[in-house]
Amino acid sequence: MKCLVTGSNVKVLGKAVHSLSRIGDELYLEPLEDGLSLRTVNSSRSAYACFLFAPLFFQQYQAATPGQDLLRCKILMKSFLSVFRSLAMLEKTVEKCCISLNGQSSRLVVQLHCKFGVRKTHNLSFQDCESLQAVFDPALCPHVLRAPARVLGEAVLPFPPALAEVTLGIGRGCRVFLRSYHEEDADSTVKAMVTEVCLGEEDFQQLQAQEGVAITFCLKEFRGLLSFAESANLNLCIHFDAPGRPAIFTVKDSLLDGHFVLATLSETDSYSQDLGSVERHRPVPQLQAHSTPHPDDFANDDIDSYMIAMETTIGNEGSRVLPSISLSPGPQPPQSPGPRSEEEDEAEPSTVPGTPPPKKFRSLFFGSILAPVGSPQGPSPVLAEDSEGEG
Amino acid sequence: MKFRGKIVDGACLNHFTRISNMIAKLAKTCTLRISPDKLNFILCDKLANGGVSMWCELEQENFFSEFQMEGFSAENNEIYLELTSENLSRALKTAQNARALKIKLTNKHFPCLTVSVELFSMSSSSLIATHDIPIKVIPRKLWKDLQEPMVPDPDVSIYLPVLKTMKSVVEKMKNISSHLVIEANLDGELNLKIETELVCVTTHFKDLGNPPLASESTSQDRNPEHMAEVHIDIRKLLQFLAGQPVNPTKAVCNIVTDKMVHFDLLHEDVSLQYFIPALS
């Protein structure tokens, strides 16, 4: 793999890495034919983030040396971030950034070509890894909000920087509100200040949600994407469902695509980020039997649905309604044509009724599923097994 | 008990915000007293404060375009609330670009002071931020402990130098000693002294001027050069100095020898009195 980023795109790349660093400690770097994908997941598997940079984002982009397989690697977020730590420096002095993956030497080489002939070369060691994939489909979420990032940025300002969680919802008169969320502590005598920000419907480019819906998610993780979106002057789209189901935050433009999938607090369970402390543990075989998206089956889904299931295949079409983050070694899904076996978004053309047509940019959505949602593809036993292992 | 107020003037809002920031730096928890004409921020000299007390007073009509209150009763037409000062200053911080600020006493799940701010925004048409600050209503029987402190006749009364200078001096001194002597005389001289086994440091301020003393007899008996001194905890002095947002309009220091130092400041139209007791 070899790619070259020039000019202001270097800072964009740097900002994306900063965003990702708010989520996880390891960065999964995967060059694909569609572009370079950078993904991460947090340790409790309740937040997943991915940026996909299209080939046009780069001055030069070569996913793999001809004749070689596509390489994938996992590097320490800290190491990769240190290359891009100073955004001011990137903007002022870096002219080009060259990233190459050398399978033989097991090194990810990031070379910054700076002004005055200075060249900084970073040799980062990486680990081979399985492909980190989130299986989710924004199109399945009934509620959508879309607004320029700066509207949301301003809305988030009144909240204390240390605030962990926030509730987003639709209030009376279709006003969108953001409210600080504090875990109810019966013992605590000192109550925390509650802050609420209200925005009018007219501030949103798209508002597809009814009064009364609300989700609670981690503000700190959201801020990561928000700051990127604000600096790139993009619109931010929030797809969400019932409490407990993950919320999908997306940004895109012609050259890149960003997805942050965050867990949301389910209505009765207390927020638990710990893999092991799932209160209502639904028996896993239900997943297996389930082949059609039926909201009720997932009503009890709190952490399960977005926990990483250690999958060994990605033949998980049946689980598409169940956004799960899978680690797959990349064998071909049955329907997938061509060599890009890890990419499910290439898997299915839109011949199935009910699926939205694959628009050009849609193929850049990492992990977006074009395969039919409604039709059962058969059970996905592997997912079930692995979830069981996870639980 | 009811209370609602509205501030629409930008300058008033900024001033009110600065005052609340100052209070937040001086006292973690304080009492807000609401009466028909005034608002007071009070810290009484409990052991928890180390004996420090504070009395801050402002005339409500200098800030609020609308102000309505109904106190505990007709005879006791006042409201005493306890709150975490930082909450108020944080709530007001969001009001920097506000069209209007409304504050009222509410009971949403728990008694609170609700600060509602309508913000100017380039990006959105209407942005309203609401902060519910949890409060505790202080019962009538405890009101007697929260009255304006009696200012004893000082031995020396002197105008303070520029507070920023005082603060940087005291900041450095804090590294050397945990207590300090503040002394002044009627000749316009003020000294800050620290003493350890190894070193003695004194900073002299001269030509400060003395306000006229209330008690004529004291000033006549007293040798103008004679210093009145008091030993105090250096951190308390530093906390006071660090809390001041700007150099005050007026700043007077009153010393009662070996008993306490009393700072009497005026920030435009808001008065602040701060008492630091002598170390025993």
Side-chain angles (χ1 to χ4, degrees):
Chain A
M1 187 271 291
K2 191 167 147 75
C3 60
L4 190 65
V5 188
T6 54
S8 56
N9 281 353
V10 178
K11 188 177 173 199
V12 173
L13 179 65
K15 270 234 95 161
V17 179
H18 275 262
S19 261
L20 293 169
S21 68
R22 302 282 279 263
I23 304 281
D25 297 325
E26 287 176 332
L27 182 70
Y28 290 74
L29 194 136
E30 190 169 345
L32 305 160
E33 290 305 322
D34 281 353
L36 181 67
S37 91
L38 301 176
R39 302 167 218 180
T40 187
V41 70
N42 72 356
S43 52
S44 53
R45 313 294 206 224
S46 61
Y48 162 88
C50 161
F51 280 98
L52 181 69
F53 295 94
L56 280 175
F57 178 81
F58 305 91
Q59 191 175 68
Q60 280 173 33
Y61 180 71
Q62 184 184 41
T65 335
Q68 281 200 337
D69 286 331
L70 289 169
L71 287 171
R72 273 191 301 274
C73 72
K74 180 168 82 165
I75 34 182
L76 272 184
M77 185 67 76
K78 227 168 47 170
S79 312
F80 201 69
L81 182 64
S82 66
V83 179
F84 302 96
R85 182 170 306 285
S86 166
L87 293 168
M89 185 271 293
L90 287 180
E91 194 172 24
K92 280 196 214 126
T93 63
V94 177
E95 290 161 358
K96 285 196 290 200
C97 169
C98 181
I99 306 176
S100 53
L101 247 183
N102 189 330
Q104 285 150 349
S105 62
S106 280
R107 284 280 182 276
L108 176 74
V109 183
V110 183
Q111 222 176 37
L112 298 176
H113 298 247
C114 312
K115 274 192 196 155
F116 314 117
V118 173
R119 205 185 303 182
K120 301 181 192 174
T121 309
H122 299 260
N123 286 295
L124 308 171
S125 60
F126 66 80
Q127 277 180 294
D128 282 326
C129 65
E130 297 175 338
S131 177
L132 178 71
Q133 287 198 104
V135 180
F136 59 88
D137 188 359
L140 291 178
C141 296
H143 314 300
V144 186
L145 288 179
R146 186 155 53 94
R150 41 164 213 290
V151 167
L152 295 169
E154 273 187 19
V156 153
L157 269 181
F159 295 95
L163 182 66
E165 280 135 7
V166 76
T167 303
L168 166 74
I170 316 293
R172 278 198 307 269
C174 272
R175 287 185 67 79
V176 178
F177 70 82
L178 276 169
R179 188 186 307 134
S180 59
Y181 177 85
H182 300 274
E183 263 191 43
E184 303 241 328
D185 192 357
D187 295 340
S188 156
T189 47
V190 179
K191 297 255 188 305
M193 179 164 90
V194 174
T195 300
E196 181 176 303
V197 173
C198 256
L199 294 161
E201 199 181 343
E202 58 279 3
D203 296 323
F204 289 82
Q205 294 158 338
Q206 189 185 3
L207 179 54
Q208 190 181 305
Q210 300 79 41
E211 280 182 23
V213 305
I215 47 163
T216 301
F217 53 87
C218 180
L219 179 62
K220 286 187 184 165
E221 288 162 352
F222 172 59
R223 280 190 207 264
L225 181 62
L226 186 57
S227 75
F228 175 84
E230 274 183 291
S231 69
N233 219 357
L234 296 171
N235 290 335
L236 202 144
C237 208
I238 309 176
H239 304 261
F240 60 103
D241 201 335
R245 300 297 305 281
I248 306 164
F249 302 80
T250 65
V251 291
K252 67 173 181 284
D253 73 8
S254 51
L255 299 178
L256 60 84
D257 221 300
H259 282 70
F260 272 45
V261 183
L262 303 180
T264 65
L265 199 57
S266 81
E267 235 138 29
T268 55
D269 285 353
S270 59
Y271 199 35
S272 164
Q273 288 206 328
D274 183 16
L275 248 181
S277 64
V278 175
E279 277 86 41
R280 282 188 296 184
H281 189 82
R282 198 160 44 76
V284 166
Q286 273 189 30
L287 274 171
Q288 187 174 2
H290 178 86
S291 53
T292 20
H294 192 353
D296 287 347
D297 277 352
F298 301 101
N300 292 340
D301 236 347
D302 39 344
I303 313 293
D304 285 336
S305 59
Y306 46 79
M307 283 303 182
I308 287 205
M310 304 296 282
E311 290 197 342
T312 53
T313 72
I314 52 163
N316 48 7
E317 288 73 39
S319 70
R320 290 234 166 97
V321 285
L322 177 70
S324 68
I325 300 166
S326 52
L327 287 174
S328 62
Q332 293 214 9
Q335 299 86 341
S336 168
R340 289 182 298 278
S341 49
E342 294 92 50
E343 271 311 283
E344 291 183 291
D345 57 2
E346 293 295 310
E348 193 76 16
S350 65
T351 51
V352 180
T355 4
K359 305 175 202 103
K360 181 171 169 247
F361 61 84
R362 202 175 169 122
S363 64
L364 294 181
F365 272 115
F366 175 65
S368 71
I369 309 310
L370 300 183
V373 156
S375 55
Q377 296 294 321
S380 83
V382 177
L383 172 62
E385 278 163 28
D386 293 333
S387 296
E388 207 161 22
E390 277 297 285
Chain B
M1 284 195 291
K2 282 193 224 163
F3 167 58
R4 68 189 326 141
K6 189 170 173 184
I7 303 179
V8 292
D9 180 80
C12 293
L13 196 47
N14 285 339
H15 192 26
F16 193 60
T17 307
R18 274 198 302 272
I19 299 296
S20 81
N21 286 343
M22 177 179 75
I23 301 295
K25 288 195 190 135
L26 296 177
K28 186 155 175 268
T29 312
C30 77
T31 302
L32 172 64
R33 171 179 172 250
I34 305 169
S35 52
D37 305 318
K38 306 187 212 157
L39 282 184
N40 292 87
F41 292 97
I42 307 165
L43 184 68
C44 65
D45 58 352
K46 294 206 246 325
L47 218 56
N49 311 325
V52 162
S53 49
M54 168 185 83
W55 179 269
C56 177
E57 185 167 293
L58 54 93
E59 301 280 322
Q60 63 86 349
E61 61 181 21
N62 292 344
F63 293 86
F64 293 85
S65 58
E66 286 170 32
F67 191 91
Q68 296 154 9
M69 60 108 17
E70 245 176 58
F72 180 80
S73 64
E75 301 88 46
N76 298 292
N77 194 19
E78 292 173 330
I79 302 172
Y80 285 73
L81 308 169
E82 189 180 281
L83 50 82
T84 303
S85 328
E86 201 204 331
N87 283 342
L88 182 62
S89 75
R90 209 171 338 116
L92 291 175
K93 197 164 133 191
T94 60
Q96 269 180 358
N97 293 322
R99 288 199 181 106
L101 178 137
K102 290 190 209 155
I103 181 166
K104 60 184 178 188
L105 202 53
T106 57
N107 196 346
K108 307 176 180 180
H109 308 298
F110 46 82
C112 43
L113 205 57
T114 296
V115 175
S116 169
V117 182
E118 203 184 310
L119 295 167
F120 280 119
S121 165
M122 300 278 281
S123 332
S124 50
S125 56
S126 64
L127 194 68
I128 299 182
T130 310
H131 302 270
D132 294 324
I133 302 168
I135 49 147
K136 262 200 309 211
V137 178
I138 297 180
R140 169 87 187 83
K141 60 178 188 273
L142 295 176
W143 290 11
K144 60 180 182 347
D145 297 330
L146 296 163
Q147 297 312 301
E148 187 165 359
M150 294 299 298
V151 182
D153 280 336
D155 295 317
V156 167
S157 189
I158 188 167
Y159 289 115
L160 285 170
V162 172
L163 293 188
K164 203 161 138 198
T165 313
M166 258 184 98
K167 179 189 135 199
S168 50
V169 166
V170 175
E171 234 169 19
K172 303 291 188 302
M173 285 179 163
K174 183 178 79 112
N175 298 329
I176 303 172
S177 167
S178 62
H179 57 95
L180 149 157
V181 169
I182 181 166
E183 60 177 24
N185 63 20
L186 292 168
D187 228 5
E189 292 177 339
L190 177 109
N191 298 335
L192 298 172
K193 292 202 298 203
I194 51 168
E195 195 174 316
T196 67
E197 281 172 4
L198 298 172
V199 69
C200 248
V201 183
T202 309
T203 303
H204 304 263
F205 296 93
K206 291 185 158 65
D207 297 326
L208 293 173
N210 302 80
L213 267 181
S215 163
E216 278 303 313
S217 57
T218 327
S219 61
Q220 275 166 4
D221 291 346
R222 209 182 167 83
N223 176 358
E225 285 176 1
H226 186 76
M227 291 281 182
E229 68 168 40
V230 70
H231 260 95
I232 55 170
D233 183 333
I234 207 171
R235 284 161 308 183
K236 294 191 179 121
L237 178 61
L238 188 58
Q239 186 177 20
F240 167 70
L241 293 170
Q244 303 313 309
V246 288
N247 210 39
T249 321
K250 181 191 100 165
V252 172
C253 168
N254 298 316
I255 298 179
V256 181
T257 306
D258 296 332
K259 286 260 169 38
M260 69 145 113
V261 58
H262 164 228
F263 294 101
D264 186 359
L265 306 186
L266 193 64
H267 282 289
E268 290 175 49
D269 48 5
V270 176
S271 80
L272 174 72
Q273 296 187 62
Y274 202 80
F275 302 82
I276 303 179
L279 285 171
S280 47

